[in-house]
Amino acid sequence: MPTDPAATTPAADAADADARPQAAGPRAARLGLGTAAVGRPGYITLGRADDLPAERTVEALRERTHALLDAAYAAGVRYLDTARSYGRAEEFLAQWLAEHPEAAAEVTVGSKWGYTYTADWRTSGVAAHEVKEHSTAVFDRQIRETRALLGPHLDVYLVHSVTADSPALTDPALHRRLAGLAAEGVRVGLSTSGPAQAEAIRRALAVTVGGRPLFTAVQATWNLLETSAAPALAEAHRAGWLVVVKEGMANGRLAGRNATGPDTAALRTLAARTATAPDALALAAAAAQPWADVVLSGAATLDQLTSNLAAAEVVLGPEDLAPLAAMAEPAEDYWRTRSSLPWA
């Protein structure tokens, strides 16, 4: 990743540069750790029943989250991702930071607002696990909640799951609030989802407050099955934005235990030829994109994390990436499949 991101464009000032993480070691290059899979008992990752403790108590998931953070930090990972809607993930992360002041001084912490967790620590019988609302009222409440937990450790704050029709792209009152947060030194941005990610990113690129770009970070879904946002992410990178890749494993579809169908044949072929696990190859393919600053691991177990972090040691050439590119699905098909994945 760039060592001086502020130099990539005049629009990225020194305060923004402080929030762009630096590589901390060879195994950590371009890799971060996300907490979506371990901050709450229910999520949509395939094979989740095999990954988590049988009793998904708050304490069990706290211990799992802290174990993953310990291992990731020891391996050199320096970008940590969470969100208000990830159950108690912000709380778990905040406790870990308090117990590891030396790590707290080195890591970049990103969180997200705009979804409210509503499952009340249940995995079934829930009408909605999270509810989205991009209003000033929700921002005001959730920034207070995030600050109460993460305090000065908050480096990046994203509007969660922005689509092209989100009021987060058009609400002047919200923009003023976000600009105020940016003035405090927090990098303000958005995460995106859905088949029109590229449109949402481009609309966000055009948002200004007081003649200055408002958003300077994006967390977007990109993986071997869903590549449609790549051109817009390249534009964001050229504008000096921090670009974070989420769902690089396609919610488990690219993990070795699930990559068994014709849609992943090219990945299995490369894995066999290089003696590399499919998950490491999938994340390495994301890290190979020249616009990607951070690629998140969503590991729920220490074994998964170890395998994911091996991506940092994988070098993929054009001859490797070309057959993998053929795996991409139409964006509408990909998101239709994703929306059908059960919470478990």
Side-chain angles (χ1 to χ4, degrees):
M1 71 185 71
T3 57
D4 184 12
T8 61
T9 173
D13 60 21
D16 289 334
D18 289 342
R20 182 172 291 202
Q22 308 299 309
R27 284 186 61 79
R30 289 189 170 180
L31 296 177
L33 178 66
T35 57
V38 290
R40 55 195 168 185
Y43 194 48
I44 59 173
T45 303
L46 296 175
R48 188 168 173 79
D50 298 326
D51 296 338
L52 296 181
E55 296 296 326
R56 300 178 193 177
T57 63
V58 171
E59 189 54 38
L61 290 190
R62 187 196 322 273
E63 291 178 2
R64 177 65 60 86
T65 300
H66 287 187
L68 290 167
L69 289 166
D70 286 343
Y73 180 76
V77 169
R78 294 296 182 267
Y79 190 91
L80 306 176
D81 172 75
T82 186
R84 287 301 308 142
S85 64
Y86 294 170
R88 298 176 71 162
E90 278 191 342
E91 173 190 326
F92 297 164
L93 175 56
Q95 292 166 338
W96 184 84
L97 292 169
E99 294 168 4
H100 298 80
E102 76 292 345
E106 295 183 14
V107 298
T108 296
V109 174
S111 191
K112 297 179 284 295
W113 73 273
Y115 267 111
T116 298
Y117 178 64
T118 55
D120 194 26
W121 213 256
R122 292 175 293 165
T123 58
S124 60
V126 179
H129 288 260
E130 52 191 12
V131 176
K132 182 165 71 171
E133 182 181 333
H134 293 159
S135 67
T136 55
V138 170
F139 171 77
D140 290 344
R141 169 171 57 84
Q142 294 197 320
I143 186 59
R144 287 195 302 269
E145 294 167 343
T146 295
R147 282 295 201 194
L149 290 168
L150 295 174
H153 302 303
L154 180 65
D155 300 303
V156 182
Y157 208 43
L158 309 177
V159 190
H160 202 163
S161 195
V162 171
T163 54
D165 59 352
S166 169
L169 299 174
T170 57
D171 184 347
L174 177 59
H175 292 171
R176 287 192 294 271
R177 282 168 165 78
L178 294 173
L181 184 61
E184 296 174 8
V186 177
R187 183 183 280 264
V188 170
L190 65 153
S191 74
T192 59
S193 61
Q197 288 187 104
E199 182 180 356
I201 294 165
R202 291 187 172 114
R203 291 191 180 186
L205 280 163
V207 175
T208 60
V209 174
R212 291 174 57 84
L214 174 61
F215 299 113
T216 58
V218 61
Q219 184 179 118
T221 295
W222 188 97
N223 57 60
L224 292 171
L225 302 176
E226 184 3 359
T227 62
S228 66
L233 292 171
E235 294 169 28
H237 182 76
R238 288 194 295 271
W241 285 27
L242 168 70
V243 178
V244 179
V245 175
K246 64 182 174 77
E247 300 183 352
M249 296 290 298
N251 296 102
R253 291 177 62 190
L254 299 177
R257 65 189 181 192
N258 302 317
T260 58
D263 56 333
T264 56
L267 182 62
R268 295 196 307 276
T269 297
L270 182 60
R273 179 166 64 82
T274 61
T276 306
D279 64 294
L281 289 175
L283 295 180
Q289 305 309 306
W291 40 259
D293 294 308
V294 177
V295 176
L296 295 178
S297 162
T301 73
L302 291 173
D303 285 347
Q304 289 174 356
L305 180 63
T306 298
S307 189
N308 285 181
L309 292 182
E313 301 169 355
V314 176
V315 178
L316 298 177
E319 70 282 3
D320 302 310
L321 293 170
L324 296 179
M327 292 171 55
E329 303 173 348
E332 293 79 5
D333 293 349
Y334 174 86
W335 289 97
R336 188 179 304 112
T337 298
R338 186 188 183 282
S339 67
S340 70
L341 297 177
W343 287 74

